[in-house]
Coordinates of all heavy atoms in Angstrom, one line a residue:
Chain Z
S264 N -1.5 -57.6 -32.1 CA -2.6 -56.8 -32.6 C -3.6 -56.6 -31.5 O -4.3 -57.6 -31.2 CB -3.1 -57.4 -33.9 OG -4.5 -56.9 -34.1
A265 N -3.9 -55.5 -31.1 CA -4.8 -55.3 -30.0 C -6.3 -55.6 -30.5 O -7.1 -56.2 -29.8 CB -4.8 -53.9 -29.6
S266 N -6.5 -55.4 -31.8 CA -7.8 -55.8 -32.3 C -8.1 -57.3 -32.3 O -9.2 -57.8 -31.9 CB -8.1 -55.2 -33.7 OG -7.1 -55.7 -34.6
M270 N -10.6 -59.3 -29.8 CA -11.7 -60.0 -30.3 C -11.6 -61.5 -29.9 O -12.7 -62.0 -29.4 CB -11.6 -60.1 -32.0 CG -12.8 -60.7 -32.6 SD -12.6 -62.5 -32.8 CE -12.2 -62.6 -34.6
Y273 N -12.5 -61.4 -26.0 CA -14.0 -61.1 -25.8 C -14.8 -62.3 -26.2 O -15.7 -62.6 -25.4 CB -14.3 -59.9 -26.8 CG -15.7 -59.5 -26.6 CD1 -16.0 -58.5 -25.7 CD2 -16.7 -59.9 -27.5 CE1 -17.4 -58.0 -25.6 CE2 -18.0 -59.5 -27.5 CZ -18.3 -58.5 -26.5 OH -19.6 -58.0 -26.3
R322 N 7.4 -75.4 -24.5 CA 7.5 -76.9 -24.5 C 8.6 -77.4 -23.7 O 8.6 -78.6 -23.4 CB 7.5 -77.4 -26.0 CG 6.1 -77.3 -26.7 CD 5.1 -78.3 -26.2 NE 4.0 -78.2 -27.0 CZ 2.7 -78.1 -26.6 NH1 2.4 -78.1 -25.3 NH2 1.7 -78.2 -27.4
G329 N 2.1 -81.4 -23.4 CA 0.7 -81.8 -23.6 C -0.4 -80.7 -23.6 O -1.5 -81.1 -23.9
T337 N -2.0 -67.5 -41.0 CA -2.6 -67.1 -42.2 C -2.3 -68.1 -43.3 O -1.1 -68.8 -43.4 CB -2.3 -65.8 -42.8 OG1 -1.0 -65.5 -42.5 CG2 -3.1 -64.7 -42.0
K348 N 4.5 -76.2 -35.9 CA 4.3 -77.6 -35.5 C 5.7 -78.1 -35.1 O 5.7 -78.8 -34.0 CB 3.8 -78.4 -36.6 CG 2.3 -78.2 -37.0 CD 1.3 -78.8 -36.1 CE 1.8 -80.3 -35.9 NZ 0.9 -81.1 -35.2
T353 N 0.3 -77.5 -31.2 CA -0.6 -78.5 -31.3 C -1.3 -78.4 -32.7 O -1.6 -79.4 -33.5 CB -1.7 -78.4 -30.3 OG1 -1.1 -78.4 -29.0 CG2 -2.8 -79.5 -30.4
W355 N -3.4 -75.2 -35.5 CA -3.5 -73.8 -35.9 C -4.9 -73.4 -36.1 O -5.8 -74.3 -36.5 CB -2.6 -73.5 -37.2 CG -2.9 -74.3 -38.3 CD1 -4.1 -74.3 -39.2 CD2 -2.3 -75.6 -38.7 NE1 -4.1 -75.4 -40.1 CE2 -2.9 -76.2 -39.7 CE3 -1.1 -76.2 -38.3 CZ2 -2.7 -77.4 -40.4 CZ3 -0.8 -77.6 -38.8 CH2 -1.5 -77.9 -39.9
P359 N -8.5 -65.4 -41.8 CA -9.4 -64.9 -40.9 C -10.3 -65.9 -40.3 O -10.5 -66.9 -41.0 CB -10.2 -64.0 -41.8 CG -10.2 -64.5 -43.1 CD -8.9 -65.3 -43.4
F360 N -10.7 -65.6 -39.1 CA -11.6 -66.6 -38.5 C -12.7 -65.7 -37.8 O -12.4 -64.6 -37.4 CB -11.0 -67.6 -37.5 CG -10.2 -66.9 -36.5 CD1 -10.7 -66.3 -35.4 CD2 -8.7 -66.9 -36.6 CE1 -9.9 -65.7 -34.4 CE2 -8.0 -66.4 -35.7 CZ -8.5 -65.7 -34.6
R371 N -13.1 -77.9 -29.9 CA -12.5 -79.1 -30.5 C -11.3 -79.5 -29.7 O -11.1 -80.7 -29.5 CB -12.2 -78.8 -32.0 CG -11.5 -80.0 -32.6 CD -11.1 -79.4 -34.2 NE -10.2 -80.6 -34.7 CZ -9.6 -80.5 -35.8 NH1 -9.7 -79.3 -36.5 NH2 -8.8 -81.5 -36.2
Chain A
G235 N -20.5 -55.7 -29.1 CA -19.3 -55.7 -28.3 C -18.1 -55.9 -29.2 O -17.0 -55.4 -29.0
E246 N -5.1 -49.5 -35.7 CA -3.7 -50.1 -35.9 C -3.3 -50.3 -37.3 O -2.2 -50.3 -37.7 CB -3.6 -51.4 -35.0 CG -4.4 -52.6 -35.5 CD -4.5 -53.6 -34.5 OE1 -4.2 -53.5 -33.2 OE2 -4.9 -54.8 -34.8
H278 N 0.8 -57.9 -44.2 CA 0.1 -59.2 -43.7 C -0.9 -59.1 -42.7 O -1.9 -59.7 -42.6 CB 1.3 -60.0 -43.3 CG 1.0 -61.5 -43.1 ND1 0.6 -62.3 -44.0 CD2 0.9 -62.3 -42.0 CE1 0.3 -63.5 -43.5 NE2 0.5 -63.5 -42.4
A285 N -10.0 -59.5 -43.2 CA -10.9 -60.6 -43.4 C -11.7 -60.9 -42.1 O -12.8 -61.2 -42.1 CB -10.2 -61.7 -44.0
T286 N -11.0 -60.9 -41.0 CA -11.5 -61.3 -39.8 C -12.6 -60.2 -39.3 O -13.7 -60.6 -38.7 CB -10.4 -61.3 -38.6 OG1 -9.5 -62.3 -38.9 CG2 -11.1 -61.7 -37.3
A390 N 3.1 -84.7 -26.5 CA 3.7 -83.6 -25.9 C 3.3 -82.2 -26.6 O 3.2 -81.2 -26.1 CB 5.2 -83.6 -25.7
G391 N 3.1 -82.5 -27.9 CA 2.6 -81.3 -28.7 C 1.1 -81.0 -28.6 O 0.7 -80.0 -29.2
N393 N -1.7 -82.8 -29.1 CA -2.7 -83.5 -29.7 C -2.8 -84.9 -29.2 O -2.0 -85.7 -29.2 CB -2.2 -83.7 -31.2 CG -2.5 -82.4 -32.0 OD1 -3.7 -82.0 -32.3 ND2 -1.4 -81.8 -32.5
R397 N -8.8 -87.1 -27.9 CA -9.6 -86.0 -28.7 C -10.0 -86.4 -30.0 O -11.0 -86.2 -30.6 CB -8.8 -84.6 -28.5 CG -9.5 -83.6 -29.2 CD -8.8 -82.3 -29.1 NE -7.5 -82.3 -29.8 CZ -7.2 -82.2 -31.0 NH1 -8.2 -82.2 -31.9 NH2 -6.1 -82.1 -31.5
E401 N -13.5 -87.1 -31.8 CA -13.9 -86.3 -32.9 C -14.5 -87.1 -34.1 O -15.4 -86.8 -34.8 CB -12.8 -85.3 -33.4 CG -13.2 -84.1 -33.9 CD -11.9 -83.2 -34.2 OE1 -11.1 -83.1 -33.3 OE2 -11.9 -82.6 -35.3
V448 N -10.0 -84.4 -39.5 CA -10.0 -84.7 -38.1 C -8.4 -84.7 -37.8 O -8.0 -84.4 -36.7 CB -10.5 -86.0 -37.6 CG1 -10.1 -86.4 -36.3 CG2 -12.1 -86.0 -37.8
D450 N -6.1 -83.1 -39.4 CA -5.2 -82.2 -40.2 C -4.1 -81.5 -39.4 O -3.1 -81.2 -40.0 CB -6.2 -81.1 -40.8 CG -7.0 -80.4 -39.6 OD1 -6.8 -80.8 -38.5 OD2 -7.5 -79.4 -39.8
W451 N -4.1 -81.5 -38.1 CA -3.1 -80.9 -37.4 C -1.9 -82.0 -37.2 O -0.8 -81.6 -36.8 CB -3.5 -80.5 -36.0 CG -4.3 -79.3 -36.1 CD1 -4.4 -78.4 -37.2 CD2 -5.2 -78.8 -35.0 NE1 -5.2 -77.4 -36.8 CE2 -5.8 -77.6 -35.5 CE3 -5.6 -79.2 -33.8 CZ2 -6.7 -76.8 -34.8 CZ3 -6.4 -78.4 -33.0 CH2 -6.9 -77.3 -33.5
E455 N 2.9 -86.0 -37.8 CA 3.1 -86.4 -36.5 C 2.6 -87.9 -36.3 O 2.6 -88.5 -35.2 CB 2.6 -85.6 -35.4 CG 3.3 -84.3 -35.2 CD 2.8 -83.5 -34.1 OE1 1.6 -83.0 -34.0 OE2 3.4 -83.6 -33.0

Side-chain angles (χ1 to χ4, degrees):
Chain Z
S264 155
S266 58
M270 187 273 252
Y273 180 87
R322 284 294 187 221
T337 39
K348 287 281 312 191
T353 305
W355 54 81
F360 50 81
R371 176 184 172 190
Chain A
E246 70 194 11
H278 190 68
T286 301
N393 279 297
R397 171 178 69 72
E401 212 173 314
V448 171
D450 60 351
W451 288 340
E455 289 184 285

